[in-house]
Amino acid sequence: MRKQFAKKAVLLSSLFLFTAFLTQPAAAEENEPEPVTLTVELEDVNAIHSIKAQLIELKVDETLYPELKENINIEESELILEGLDISKLGIQDVMVHFTMKVNTLKSDLLFNNVITEKIRIQVVDTTAPTIVLKYEHITMDFEEVLDPMEWIESILDNSREEMKEVQADMSSLDNTTPGDYQITYTATDVNGNTGKAILNVTVKPKKVAYSNYGTSSDSITAMLNLMNSKRAEAGLNPLSLGDANAQAAIGVRACEAAENVSHTRPDGRHYKTAFDDYGVTYSSPYEILTYSGSTVQDKFDWWMSSSSHRADILRASSTKVAIGYCGKMWAAIVYE
């Protein structure tokens, strides 16, 4: 009888301990603190590094381990994540195994360098799209109609989705007034982030058409022959007449100089910009002007009587010349 009672007591005791063991985790779960929450950017290629840095910041107590953080080698520390998808926005519960690599650790310092626990990671998108333009600066003709979207090379965004909105603000651009302007581009992604880019635009002056010059003019041919005759005497190669664009440009310069005798253009620019306006390829340009005389020979003789103008005509490295006139004003640009 006594033996049966003892066996029954042991059985009841064992049952109590087993029940307590089973109910203990439930109580622990009720008291278990909320997992720490970390934040990473959508599709962030550096997400692993970011999570490591955040874990170190949250888990390493500098009051207990002074100067420990700066001795943790974040690159060599090993991080294993179970269940994280950084291509999806929102909160995700993830099991993390993080083994911190400490460069220098005192032998008397007791530090648990391994973290194994469930954490909460919030994937967010706060990254603005990047607008890539074909050029930083473009030049457009006077009164040219510009399509701003033509100058966008690409738009990059971590969401990898189509932009919600792409706009180009051209409100400051006046294609009827020569000068420098800016076009402001904005791109907004599906999560409301907006990126910007600036395109610098220069509006060229209006091309002025003049009828009193041309490549077929006998007077211009006569001037070219006089120049090359003197160059031959000096043992220099002849100059060839510029193409139609160069001739158009020098015609403009002749008429500009007829109104104001100067190597500076009426809008304050260098004379060589006349070539730029007409798309002429050139190097080392030298301009000569004259009002003197009434015949081609008179004009040429005046140029040759001036040491600086003579030097420009007989410049050895020059290979081309653009020649034009407007009324009594003659202009030429010798160039390579």
Side-chain angles (χ1 to χ4, degrees):
M1 184 73 175
R2 184 176 295 175
K3 288 182 179 180
Q4 291 179 351
F5 180 77
K7 287 182 179 180
K8 188 174 183 180
V10 170
L11 182 60
L12 289 172
S13 176
S14 298
L15 182 61
F16 173 77
L17 290 174
F18 181 66
T19 304
F21 177 76
L22 289 178
T23 57
Q24 185 64 31
E29 286 182 7
E30 290 179 3
N31 298 324
E32 184 179 346
E34 284 290 317
V36 297
T37 300
L38 309 182
T39 302
V40 295
E41 195 71 17
L42 181 72
E43 297 286 9
D44 184 6
V45 295
N46 297 312
I48 294 296
H49 186 281
S50 174
I51 293 171
K52 287 180 181 180
Q54 292 180 70
L55 283 171
I56 292 171
E57 186 65 29
L58 289 171
K59 294 295 185 178
V60 178
D61 190 343
E62 285 187 300
T63 61
L64 296 177
Y65 310 108
E67 301 180 357
L68 178 60
K69 286 183 181 178
E70 62 187 46
N71 286 310
I72 296 176
N73 188 323
I74 193 169
E75 298 300 332
E76 293 187 10
S77 296
E78 184 181 46
L79 177 66
I80 300 174
L81 298 169
E82 297 177 6
L84 177 62
D85 184 354
I86 61 171
S87 68
K88 297 180 180 179
L89 293 173
I91 296 177
Q92 303 174 34
D93 287 333
V94 177
M95 182 58 70
V96 62
H97 307 278
F98 184 34
T99 303
M100 287 172 274
K101 171 69 174 179
V102 183
N103 292 328
T104 58
L105 190 61
K106 294 180 181 179
S107 59
D108 61 343
L109 180 61
L110 298 177
F111 169 64
N112 182 15
N113 67 326
V114 179
I115 298 173
T116 300
E117 63 181 77
K118 183 172 68 175
I119 64 173
R120 190 158 286 166
I121 295 182
Q122 183 172 19
V123 181
V124 299
D125 181 12
T126 62
T127 302
T130 300
I131 304 172
V132 181
L133 301 178
K134 293 180 180 178
Y135 305 99
E136 294 182 358
H137 180 270
I138 63 170
T139 301
M140 59 183 293
D141 291 328
F142 187 86
E143 294 184 339
E144 179 183 351
V145 177
L146 187 70
D147 177 6
M149 299 304 172
E150 176 187 351
W151 302 101
I152 297 178
E153 181 71 34
S154 61
I155 301 178
L156 309 176
D157 188 58
N158 61 341
S159 69
R160 300 185 182 181
E161 297 186 33
E162 292 292 327
M163 290 296 100
K164 181 179 179 181
E165 186 177 53
V166 179
Q167 293 184 331
D169 182 1
M170 300 176 61
S171 59
S172 68
L173 177 63
D174 181 1
N175 66 351
T176 64
T177 303
D180 296 322
Y181 302 91
Q182 287 186 334
I183 297 176
T184 301
Y185 294 87
T186 57
T188 303
D189 67 18
V190 292
N191 295 311
N193 303 299
T194 300
K196 292 186 177 183
I198 299 295
L199 177 64
N200 295 294
V201 181
T202 297
V203 177
K204 297 188 294 187
K206 184 177 181 180
K207 292 182 180 179
V208 182
Y210 298 105
S211 59
N212 56 349
Y213 67 89
T215 56
S216 61
S217 167
D218 291 340
S219 297
I220 289 175
T221 301
M223 178 63 77
L224 178 63
N225 290 337
L226 289 172
M227 288 181 175
N228 284 333
S229 177
K230 281 296 180 181
R231 286 179 66 86
E233 291 178 10
L236 302 174
N237 292 326
L239 301 172
S240 60
L241 192 66
D243 62 16
N245 286 338
Q247 285 299 98
I250 199 62
V252 170
R253 281 297 301 134
C255 289
E256 289 176 348
E259 298 175 2
N260 178 33
V261 184
S262 172
H263 293 298
T264 299
R265 302 185 69 184
D267 61 6
R269 294 187 298 160
H270 192 280
Y271 62 79
K272 67 181 180 181
T273 60
F275 273 0
D276 297 329
D277 291 348
Y278 282 84
V280 179
T281 301
Y282 65 91
S283 64
S284 303
Y286 296 91
E287 183 180 71
I288 55 178
L289 305 171
T290 184
Y291 249 134
S292 299
S294 56
T295 66
V296 174
Q297 187 68 53
D298 291 340
K299 307 289 184 182
F300 178 73
D301 289 343
W302 189 91
W303 276 338
M304 294 304 293
S305 68
S306 165
S307 58
S308 61
H309 294 73
R310 179 187 179 91
D312 290 337
I313 293 173
L314 300 180
R315 194 169 298 278
S317 60
S318 297
T319 57
K320 297 179 180 180
V321 61
I323 306 170
Y325 55 85
C326 186
K328 291 186 176 182
M329 170 57 69
W330 275 67
I333 295 180
V334 182
Y335 62 104
E336 299 176 30

